[in-house]
Amino acid sequence: MKNKIAKNTFFLYILTFSNYFLGLMLFPFLSRVLSVEKFGLVGFSMSFVLVFQMIVEYGFSISGTAHIAKLQSNKKKINNAVSTVTYAKLILSLISLIIFLISVFFIEMLRENFLFVSLFILDSFIKALLPDFYFRGIEEMKTITIRAVIAKTLAILLVLIFVSGDQQVIFVPISYILGDFVALVITVGTMIKKGVRFTSINIPDIKDILKEGFPYFLSRISVSINNSIGTFFLGLKFSPSSIETGILSGITKITTAGDMLLTPVNDSIYPHMVKNKDYSLLKRIIILGGVVWFLGCGIVFIFADFFCGLVLGPNYTDAGIYLRVLVVNTFFGFFSLFLGYPALSPIGKANYANAALPFATIVNVFCYLALWTTSNISLMNVVIIMSLVNLLMALFRGWALYRNKHLIRENR
């Protein structure tokens, strides 16, 4: 079983870093062959459609994964769960499409680039329909990794072949559509080979799964707010192109690289915990992993000036003081993550893991509004508030786990 977790973690690391580096290959190419305006249009479109992709995915990557993990031995119920989630995503896709078409009437940029943005909308729907939750639930991350690498590689190759200037910019979203459609065919085909069959539409089941998934959806919204609100207020105070906003963007990229190291471990252990309630393993991960994470964050804290200069350039060495504050958030992010869904879902207390995010968001917004009304928005104050987020969530989730520790003993 531990070998399976290690194998899944390995494939998720491949997935995480292949997505990062393959994406890193594409954007420098596009920035060189496209004009600033068209390159900006690509960036705007990709950011804009993330909202609709988030609506369609609806947090099923967590709630759907838990469903499948609990039902691994019951083919009939797995068929019903996969079908219900898929039909729910199709309904959410239709709702998202209606919202997009309405927004076109109010946003001039969307009207002027309707076809271009619409193609990215279509691609976001295809991405959201990928049944990754099924493969996560049965703890088979290899299939997810293979399809993701194929999709990304195919999209990049098509862009490199067909896009040579502004006249071919339409091939950017088309390339993504083709790559993700191939990925969808591969994953659905693999799922069918494993015996999964789609059942007829059951409206009450769809209502139930949407109701159950709503807290996870709110959590995803909270994550988006927490990730962007600091930049938003800093941009309001100093302008989006200010040096303060640039420094925040740069040091955030450094800490995000640290977060990328944790996600594969969390994603591989989550279905295992839901199925097996292996709290002895989770305890070892938190203790031993916490020590390693402390040492890693400590190195970044001590040599923050060096890392800023290395990653962001020699002009940013003075940004080390801000990175030191933000790395505190990264440190507590480890405990917030593993005390969340992997710890609380197996004992039926995922609601606490979900509630931690809106709780942190409310505190976050209140702090920023207090700074704004008192004219105290500054880069240092923003990173201090950002550093409170994971600390608050770790304390909230840790308290919830301690409060319900009797359930751990009862489930052994």
Side-chain angles (χ1 to χ4, degrees):
M1 186 61 69
K2 292 176 183 177
N3 288 337
K4 189 174 186 179
I5 294 174
K7 181 181 176 181
N8 286 332
T9 303
F10 171 74
F11 278 111
L12 287 175
Y13 271 119
I14 293 176
L15 171 64
T16 300
F17 288 103
S18 64
N19 280 339
Y20 181 77
F21 288 113
L22 288 173
L24 214 60
M25 290 170 57
L26 181 60
F27 279 90
F29 170 77
L30 289 176
S31 67
R32 285 164 173 78
V33 300
L34 299 177
S35 65
V36 175
E37 291 77 11
K38 293 300 182 184
F39 183 67
L41 176 62
V42 171
F44 166 81
S45 301
M46 295 179 79
S47 299
F48 178 75
V49 301
L50 285 177
V51 176
F52 300 96
Q53 186 176 331
M54 182 174 64
I55 293 173
V56 179
E57 289 180 345
Y58 200 72
F60 289 129
S61 60
I62 300 174
S63 60
T65 297
H67 268 295
I68 300 299
K70 293 173 184 176
L71 302 172
Q72 284 193 31
S73 59
N74 193 320
K75 288 285 186 183
K76 185 177 179 181
K77 288 186 176 181
I78 283 181
N79 290 343
N80 183 65
V82 170
S83 302
T84 303
V85 170
T86 302
Y87 297 143
K89 285 185 175 183
L90 289 171
I91 293 171
L92 292 169
S93 296
L94 179 60
I95 293 172
S96 297
L97 180 60
I98 293 171
I99 295 172
F100 168 66
L101 293 175
I102 292 173
S103 66
V104 169
F105 287 99
F106 299 97
I107 302 176
E108 184 179 354
M109 188 176 185
L110 295 181
R111 291 197 300 273
E112 293 175 350
N113 301 280
F114 178 74
L115 175 61
F116 189 80
V117 180
S118 296
L119 289 173
F120 270 112
I121 288 284
L122 175 60
D123 179 59
S124 72
F125 291 166
I126 294 173
K127 279 189 175 78
L129 287 171
L130 288 164
D132 286 356
F133 67 93
Y134 167 76
F135 293 98
R136 291 179 187 273
I138 64 173
E139 298 178 75
E140 190 176 301
M141 310 306 179
K142 182 179 178 180
T143 301
I144 298 175
T145 301
I146 291 173
R147 71 87 185 149
V149 173
I150 289 174
K152 185 76 75 172
T153 303
L154 179 58
I156 289 174
L157 288 175
L158 290 173
V159 169
L160 294 175
I161 293 170
F162 291 106
V163 180
S164 58
D166 286 359
Q167 293 77 17
Q168 298 85 32
V169 70
I170 195 71
F171 285 103
V172 176
I174 291 174
S175 298
Y176 274 97
I177 289 171
L178 292 174
D180 288 321
F181 182 74
V182 169
L184 182 63
V185 171
I186 291 173
T187 47
V188 172
T190 304
M191 191 171 64
I192 291 173
K193 284 182 179 179
K194 289 183 174 293
V196 176
R197 297 293 182 268
F198 287 97
T199 60
S200 57
I201 297 176
N202 187 312
I203 299 301
D205 284 350
I206 294 174
K207 288 182 179 178
D208 288 341
I209 205 163
L210 287 173
K211 181 179 179 181
E212 183 181 335
F214 186 68
Y216 298 94
F217 177 60
L218 286 181
S219 296
R220 287 177 64 86
I221 293 175
S222 298
V223 170
S224 298
I225 292 173
N226 287 333
N227 288 342
S228 60
I229 190 171
T231 303
F232 173 76
F233 274 99
L234 209 58
L236 281 181
K237 176 69 181 291
F238 298 103
S239 91
S241 58
S242 65
I243 187 171
E244 288 83 1
T245 308
I247 290 174
L248 181 62
S249 176
I251 61 175
T252 302
K253 283 181 172 59
I254 296 174
T255 55
T256 299
D259 297 335
M260 288 168 58
L261 295 174
L262 298 179
T263 304
V265 181
N266 179 73
D267 287 352
S268 61
I269 195 177
Y270 172 60
H272 172 79
M273 287 297 302
V274 171
K275 181 183 178 184
N276 300 291
K277 300 178 176 60
D278 191 355
Y279 280 93
S280 60
L281 174 62
L282 182 63
K283 182 179 179 180
R284 289 197 298 273
I285 289 175
I286 291 176
I287 294 175
L288 297 178
V291 172
V292 174
W293 196 244
F294 174 78
L295 294 174
C297 290
I299 290 171
V300 175
F301 185 90
I302 295 170
F303 300 103
D305 294 335
F306 168 77
F307 282 109
C308 285
L310 178 67
V311 177
L312 306 177
N315 293 331
Y316 288 88
T317 53
D318 291 341
I321 187 173
Y322 305 109
L323 178 59
R324 288 187 179 93
V325 176
L326 201 57
V327 82
V328 174
N329 188 55
T330 303
F331 171 71
F332 285 109
F334 175 91
F335 300 97
S336 170
L337 194 64
F338 291 104
L339 291 173
Y341 298 111
L344 294 168
S345 292
I347 55 175
K349 297 298 178 181
N351 56 316
Y352 284 104
N354 284 321
L357 283 157
F359 166 69
T361 301
I362 291 170
V363 174
N364 223 1
V365 172
F366 177 81
C367 290
Y368 282 118
L369 289 175
L371 289 179
W372 180 261
T373 54
T374 57
S375 300
N376 281 310
I377 292 288
S378 68
L379 179 55
M380 179 56 76
N381 286 338
V382 166
V383 293
I384 288 173
I385 293 176
M386 290 176 69
S387 296
L388 291 175
V389 174
N390 281 326
L391 171 60
L392 290 173
M393 290 202 299
L395 291 173
F396 188 96
R397 289 171 168 176
W399 164 80
L401 187 64
Y402 178 79
R403 183 184 180 188
N404 295 282
K405 61 182 180 180
H406 62 282
L407 296 176
I408 298 176
R409 294 192 294 268
E410 292 172 7
N411 280 282
R412 282 177 178 172

